[in-house]
Amino acid sequence: MADDDELLDRAFAALADPARRRIVARLSRGPATVNELAEPFAITKQAVSKHIQVLESAGLVTRTRDAQRRPVHLNPARLEELTSWIDRYRLVKEAQYRSLDAVLRTTNQQE
Amino acid sequence: MSNALHLSVPEGLPFIDYEREFDHPVAEVFRAHADPDLFARWIGPRGLSTRVERYECRSGGTFRFIQHGDDGVEYAFRGVFHTVRPAELVLQTFEYEGYPDVVTLESMRFEDLPGGRCRLTGRSVYPSLEARERYLADGMEGGITEGYERLDELLAEQVPAT
């Protein structure tokens, strides 16, 4: 198994692609097969399979050996290790309120 | 030093709840929400500047503001102030025009605290769980760089203790 740094690098590289972020967003709502994943995106099954291989090698998704279907599952633990969506939201909100603090300090001085 | 933001994203309910205290009187914190010029100065996010087209923070008023970065890409937001009670409550709708018809209901309660401080308690209600996830997921789009920065910090903390 690759060491942690290498896995994190791979995960970020994997998520640098918008198509793969859309696949991850779709999988956050539940497992799906390659066919199901290809459907909403105007890309071929082959292209989706390639994206999934990249996500899989980054530890972001797993595939069960369910004979025919082989649904793709998101590995939420790995995603959370990176920068979870809610953390991102939190960062924005925290930055926003720190800006508000700064604005409040200046309005206070003017009075 | 800044006050902590408490955030909760309940499972199975399309809400986001948050709470934050400020070292300033409730009237000032409310004014920073109600005054268009002050609002534009903090609503962020960093790297984007905000142009307020319309901002009538009173019951029945409407607003629209546009944010843009150096790349010139614009993000517009609009909504209606349903109920505004100064220094007490703002109940409004909020819509990112990029996701038409996905309208959230935002409530913000302002509460006086001793020592010239105040507490803000907010709830965003999304039209569906899916809409909430989409908002959170798309936050990640622009978040990769910040993600790297955070990752660096994280890794710096995790230097093996050998």
Side-chain angles (χ1 to χ4, degrees), chain A residues 27 31-37 48-49 52-53 56 61-74:
Chain A
L27 290 173
T33 61
V34 170
N35 275 336
E36 289 163 350
L37 286 171
V48 170
S49 286
I52 286 167
Q53 274 168 29
E56 204 175 9
V61 305
T62 53
R63 267 188 279 193
T64 43
R65 307 234 169 251
D66 179 357
Q68 300 296 312
R69 273 177 48 85
R70 297 203 75 200
V72 183
H73 299 255
L74 190 65

Short mmCIF file of all heavy atoms in Angstrom, two decimals, chain A residues 27 31-37 48-49 52-53 56 61-74:
data_model
loop_
_atom_site.label_atom_id
_atom_site.label_comp_id
_atom_site.label_asym_id
_atom_site.label_seq_id
_atom_site.Cartn_x
_atom_site.Cartn_y
_atom_site.Cartn_z
N LEU A 27 -21.96 9.74 -6.48
CA LEU A 27 -21.80 8.58 -5.59
C LEU A 27 -22.08 8.93 -4.13
O LEU A 27 -22.37 8.06 -3.32
CB LEU A 27 -20.39 7.99 -5.72
CG LEU A 27 -20.10 7.29 -7.05
CD1 LEU A 27 -18.64 6.90 -7.13
CD2 LEU A 27 -20.99 6.06 -7.23
N PRO A 31 -24.39 4.12 -4.09
CA PRO A 31 -23.59 3.40 -5.07
C PRO A 31 -24.28 3.37 -6.44
O PRO A 31 -25.50 3.51 -6.54
CB PRO A 31 -23.48 1.98 -4.50
CG PRO A 31 -24.38 1.90 -3.34
CD PRO A 31 -24.82 3.27 -2.97
N ALA A 32 -23.47 3.22 -7.49
CA ALA A 32 -24.02 3.18 -8.85
C ALA A 32 -23.11 2.35 -9.73
O ALA A 32 -21.91 2.22 -9.46
CB ALA A 32 -24.14 4.59 -9.40
N THR A 33 -23.67 1.79 -10.78
CA THR A 33 -22.86 1.03 -11.74
C THR A 33 -22.26 2.00 -12.76
O THR A 33 -22.68 3.16 -12.84
CB THR A 33 -23.72 0.00 -12.50
OG1 THR A 33 -24.72 0.73 -13.21
CG2 THR A 33 -24.38 -0.98 -11.55
N VAL A 34 -21.30 1.50 -13.53
CA VAL A 34 -20.68 2.32 -14.57
C VAL A 34 -21.74 2.84 -15.54
O VAL A 34 -21.73 4.02 -15.93
CB VAL A 34 -19.59 1.52 -15.31
CG1 VAL A 34 -19.10 2.28 -16.54
CG2 VAL A 34 -18.42 1.24 -14.38
N ASN A 35 -22.68 1.97 -15.90
CA ASN A 35 -23.76 2.38 -16.80
C ASN A 35 -24.55 3.55 -16.23
O ASN A 35 -24.82 4.53 -16.91
CB ASN A 35 -24.74 1.22 -17.03
CG ASN A 35 -24.25 0.32 -18.15
OD1 ASN A 35 -23.49 0.75 -19.01
ND2 ASN A 35 -24.68 -0.93 -18.11
N GLU A 36 -24.90 3.42 -14.96
CA GLU A 36 -25.68 4.47 -14.31
C GLU A 36 -24.89 5.76 -14.22
O GLU A 36 -25.45 6.86 -14.32
CB GLU A 36 -26.11 4.02 -12.91
CG GLU A 36 -27.19 2.94 -12.93
CD GLU A 36 -27.32 2.19 -11.60
OE1 GLU A 36 -26.46 2.36 -10.72
OE2 GLU A 36 -28.28 1.43 -11.48
N LEU A 37 -23.58 5.63 -14.04
CA LEU A 37 -22.74 6.82 -13.91
C LEU A 37 -22.56 7.51 -15.26
O LEU A 37 -22.47 8.73 -15.33
CB LEU A 37 -21.37 6.45 -13.33
CG LEU A 37 -21.36 6.12 -11.83
CD1 LEU A 37 -20.02 5.55 -11.43
CD2 LEU A 37 -21.69 7.36 -11.01
N VAL A 48 -15.87 6.77 -18.43
CA VAL A 48 -16.27 6.67 -17.03
C VAL A 48 -15.42 5.61 -16.31
O VAL A 48 -14.94 5.84 -15.19
CB VAL A 48 -17.79 6.36 -16.90
CG1 VAL A 48 -18.15 6.01 -15.45
CG2 VAL A 48 -18.61 7.55 -17.35
N SER A 49 -15.21 4.48 -16.97
CA SER A 49 -14.40 3.42 -16.37
C SER A 49 -13.00 3.91 -16.05
O SER A 49 -12.44 3.61 -14.99
CB SER A 49 -14.30 2.22 -17.32
OG SER A 49 -15.52 1.53 -17.33
N ILE A 52 -13.10 6.04 -13.05
CA ILE A 52 -13.30 5.25 -11.84
C ILE A 52 -12.01 4.56 -11.42
O ILE A 52 -11.70 4.48 -10.23
CB ILE A 52 -14.46 4.26 -12.04
CG1 ILE A 52 -15.76 5.07 -12.00
CG2 ILE A 52 -14.48 3.20 -10.95
CD1 ILE A 52 -16.95 4.36 -12.48
N GLN A 53 -11.22 4.13 -12.40
CA GLN A 53 -9.92 3.53 -12.07
C GLN A 53 -9.05 4.53 -11.32
O GLN A 53 -8.37 4.17 -10.35
CB GLN A 53 -9.21 3.09 -13.34
CG GLN A 53 -9.62 1.69 -13.79
CD GLN A 53 -9.14 1.37 -15.20
OE1 GLN A 53 -8.11 1.90 -15.62
NE2 GLN A 53 -9.88 0.55 -15.91
N GLU A 56 -10.39 4.96 -7.92
CA GLU A 56 -10.15 3.74 -7.15
C GLU A 56 -8.71 3.69 -6.65
O GLU A 56 -8.45 3.36 -5.50
CB GLU A 56 -10.47 2.53 -8.03
CG GLU A 56 -10.83 1.28 -7.24
CD GLU A 56 -11.25 0.13 -8.13
OE1 GLU A 56 -11.11 0.22 -9.38
OE2 GLU A 56 -11.74 -0.88 -7.59
N VAL A 61 -12.95 5.55 -4.16
CA VAL A 61 -14.10 4.67 -4.39
C VAL A 61 -13.65 3.21 -4.34
O VAL A 61 -12.46 2.90 -4.49
CB VAL A 61 -14.80 4.94 -5.76
CG1 VAL A 61 -15.20 6.40 -5.90
CG2 VAL A 61 -13.92 4.52 -6.92
N THR A 62 -14.60 2.34 -4.11
CA THR A 62 -14.33 0.90 -4.15
C THR A 62 -15.38 0.24 -5.02
O THR A 62 -16.48 0.79 -5.21
CB THR A 62 -14.40 0.28 -2.74
OG1 THR A 62 -15.66 0.63 -2.16
CG2 THR A 62 -13.30 0.78 -1.85
N ARG A 63 -15.03 -0.94 -5.55
CA ARG A 63 -16.00 -1.69 -6.36
C ARG A 63 -16.23 -3.05 -5.72
O ARG A 63 -15.27 -3.74 -5.38
CB ARG A 63 -15.49 -1.86 -7.79
CG ARG A 63 -16.00 -0.75 -8.69
CD ARG A 63 -15.66 -1.01 -10.11
NE ARG A 63 -14.29 -0.63 -10.40
CZ ARG A 63 -13.82 -0.53 -11.64
NH1 ARG A 63 -14.59 -0.79 -12.68
NH2 ARG A 63 -12.58 -0.17 -11.85
N THR A 64 -17.47 -3.38 -5.52
CA THR A 64 -17.75 -4.70 -4.95
C THR A 64 -17.76 -5.74 -6.06
O THR A 64 -18.06 -5.43 -7.21
CB THR A 64 -19.12 -4.72 -4.23
OG1 THR A 64 -20.05 -4.02 -5.04
CG2 THR A 64 -19.03 -4.05 -2.88
N ARG A 65 -17.43 -6.96 -5.69
CA ARG A 65 -17.39 -8.04 -6.67
C ARG A 65 -18.77 -8.67 -6.77
O ARG A 65 -18.98 -9.81 -6.43
CB ARG A 65 -16.36 -9.09 -6.27
CG ARG A 65 -14.99 -8.47 -6.01
CD ARG A 65 -13.92 -9.16 -6.85
NE ARG A 65 -12.70 -8.37 -6.78
CZ ARG A 65 -12.23 -7.66 -7.80
NH1 ARG A 65 -12.87 -7.62 -8.94
NH2 ARG A 65 -11.11 -6.98 -7.68
N ASP A 66 -19.70 -7.90 -7.23
CA ASP A 66 -21.08 -8.32 -7.34
C ASP A 66 -21.31 -8.78 -8.78
O ASP A 66 -22.05 -8.19 -9.54
CB ASP A 66 -21.99 -7.14 -6.94
CG ASP A 66 -23.48 -7.46 -7.05
OD1 ASP A 66 -23.82 -8.56 -7.49
OD2 ASP A 66 -24.27 -6.57 -6.70
N ALA A 67 -20.62 -9.89 -9.16
CA ALA A 67 -20.67 -10.49 -10.49
C ALA A 67 -20.94 -9.50 -11.62
O ALA A 67 -20.03 -8.82 -12.09
CB ALA A 67 -21.66 -11.64 -10.52
N GLN A 68 -22.17 -9.37 -12.04
CA GLN A 68 -22.51 -8.56 -13.20
C GLN A 68 -22.47 -7.05 -12.89
O GLN A 68 -21.91 -6.28 -13.64
CB GLN A 68 -23.92 -8.92 -13.71
CG GLN A 68 -24.06 -10.37 -14.14
CD GLN A 68 -23.17 -10.70 -15.34
OE1 GLN A 68 -23.15 -9.97 -16.32
NE2 GLN A 68 -22.44 -11.81 -15.24
N ARG A 69 -23.08 -6.69 -11.78
CA ARG A 69 -23.31 -5.26 -11.55
C ARG A 69 -22.05 -4.48 -11.16
O ARG A 69 -21.81 -3.41 -11.68
CB ARG A 69 -24.39 -5.07 -10.47
CG ARG A 69 -25.79 -5.06 -11.05
CD ARG A 69 -26.85 -4.95 -9.94
NE ARG A 69 -26.55 -3.88 -8.96
CZ ARG A 69 -26.88 -2.62 -9.13
NH1 ARG A 69 -27.53 -2.23 -10.20
NH2 ARG A 69 -26.58 -1.73 -8.20
N ARG A 70 -21.27 -5.03 -10.26
CA ARG A 70 -20.07 -4.37 -9.75
C ARG A 70 -20.31 -2.87 -9.47
O ARG A 70 -19.66 -2.01 -10.06
CB ARG A 70 -18.91 -4.50 -10.75
CG ARG A 70 -18.48 -5.92 -10.99
CD ARG A 70 -17.06 -5.95 -11.50
NE ARG A 70 -16.09 -5.69 -10.44
CZ ARG A 70 -14.85 -5.28 -10.67
NH1 ARG A 70 -14.43 -5.05 -11.88
NH2 ARG A 70 -14.03 -5.11 -9.66
N PRO A 71 -21.23 -2.57 -8.57
CA PRO A 71 -21.49 -1.15 -8.29
C PRO A 71 -20.27 -0.45 -7.66
O PRO A 71 -19.47 -1.10 -6.99
CB PRO A 71 -22.67 -1.18 -7.31
CG PRO A 71 -22.68 -2.55 -6.74
CD PRO A 71 -22.08 -3.45 -7.76
N VAL A 72 -20.17 0.82 -7.94
CA VAL A 72 -19.08 1.63 -7.39
C VAL A 72 -19.59 2.32 -6.13
O VAL A 72 -20.67 2.90 -6.12
CB VAL A 72 -18.64 2.69 -8.42
CG1 VAL A 72 -17.46 3.50 -7.89
CG2 VAL A 72 -18.30 2.03 -9.75
N HIS A 73 -18.81 2.22 -5.06
CA HIS A 73 -19.17 2.86 -3.79
C HIS A 73 -18.18 3.98 -3.50
O HIS A 73 -16.99 3.84 -3.75
CB HIS A 73 -19.08 1.87 -2.62
CG HIS A 73 -20.01 0.71 -2.75
ND1 HIS A 73 -21.16 0.61 -2.01
CD2 HIS A 73 -19.96 -0.40 -3.53
CE1 HIS A 73 -21.78 -0.53 -2.34
NE2 HIS A 73 -21.08 -1.15 -3.26
N LEU A 74 -18.69 5.01 -2.91
CA LEU A 74 -17.81 6.08 -2.44
C LEU A 74 -17.16 5.62 -1.14
O LEU A 74 -17.78 4.91 -0.35
CB LEU A 74 -18.66 7.33 -2.18
CG LEU A 74 -17.90 8.62 -1.92
CD1 LEU A 74 -17.11 9.00 -3.17
CD2 LEU A 74 -18.88 9.72 -1.56
#
